[in-house]
Amino acid sequence: SSELTQDPAVSVALGQTVRITCQGDSLRNYFANWYQQKPGQAPVLVIYGRHSRPSGIPDRFSGSSSENTASLTITGAQAEDEADYYCHCRDNTGDHELFGGGTKVAVL
Amino acid sequence: QVQLLESGPGLVRPSQTLSLTCTVSGGSIIGPGYSWAWVRQHPGKGLQWIGHISFRGTTSYNPSLQSRLTISADTSNNQFSLRLTSVNAADTAVYYCARLHSAWYAFDSWGQGTLVAVSS
């Protein structure tokens, strides 16, 4: 299938660890990228190429993958990490892009 | 540091054509290694890839929009544009332009987004 599936929402206590997952057949062939989006703002790339971080992204954000599932982990979640997180990868046609439906992360 | 800025009308009448332009600064749209993309977000919803144009000028479109969509580039002004015909209320969204890294297939820079409403 040409879809990426994410859980709609998760919550995490301040300072604890949360893992967000993304499932899809395309992830067997292409790396997942992850974006953080806060209300009223454009998305920001936080993980690319499965586990690389752009400059300026805190190292509490990490990525991993296995077969058809990619994960974004926030270790020691901070209040400012409360946001929507979207996974993205190229689809199996090799020419189109797919986004997951997004996961809303609440930091309690 | 590349910057992208969307421009265009905030209101389009149903059945008319939506036209947006993205002006790129701090980098050339004909430089190798990147494509230039449009992504939209319906109110309260997730992100939807619309399409992109490569530095060579080749295009790729979302199949659900392909029949109504044209993405083009103006290399002399370092801009790229989106043209969506026969719009309806379902095209109301925030439209983002973004840079797509050709090696990582990651959107590594984004414009601030522009809200386009389709309404009579």
Side-chain angles (χ1 to χ4, degrees), chain B residues 8-106:
Chain B
L11 179 65
V12 181
R13 304 301 182 191
S15 80
Q16 300 300 302
T17 296
L18 184 162
S19 296
L20 295 174
T21 295
C22 183
T23 300
V24 179
S25 57
S28 171
I29 66 170
I30 59 173
Y34 299 100
S35 294
W36 303 91
W38 291 97
V39 176
R40 71 181 182 180
Q41 187 168 34
H42 295 106
K45 302 297 184 183
L47 302 171
Q48 180 186 32
W49 169 73
I50 296 172
H52 59 256
I53 185 166
S54 76
F55 67 95
R56 295 187 182 92
T58 56
T59 54
S60 180
Y61 296 152
N62 188 313
S64 69
L65 299 170
Q66 183 165 359
S67 63
R68 301 190 289 131
L69 179 63
T70 302
I71 296 175
S72 59
D74 177 357
T75 56
S76 61
N77 288 304
N78 215 37
Q79 297 174 327
F80 62 103
S81 298
L82 171 152
R83 186 171 180 270
L84 187 66
T85 63
S86 303
V87 298
N88 57 61
D91 296 309
T92 293
V94 174
Y95 286 76
Y96 294 99
C97 57
R99 188 176 74 171
L100 179 63
H101 194 293
S102 297
W104 299 113
Y105 305 129

Side-chain angles (χ1 to χ4, degrees), chain A residues 1-5 23-27 89-93 96-100, chain B residues 62-63:
Chain A
S1 82
S2 56
E3 292 182 347
L4 296 176
T5 301
Q23 288 190 305
D25 285 344
S26 297
L27 294 171
C89 78
R90 181 146 287 201
D91 83 355
N92 282 329
T93 67
H96 299 156
E97 309 300 322
L98 294 173
F99 284 100
Chain B
N62 188 313

Side-chain angles (χ1 to χ4, degrees), chain A residues 44-58:
Chain A
V44 173
L45 180 67
V46 294
I47 293 289
Y48 68 94
R50 188 172 63 192
H51 58 68
S52 298
R53 278 187 314 276
S55 62
I57 301 301

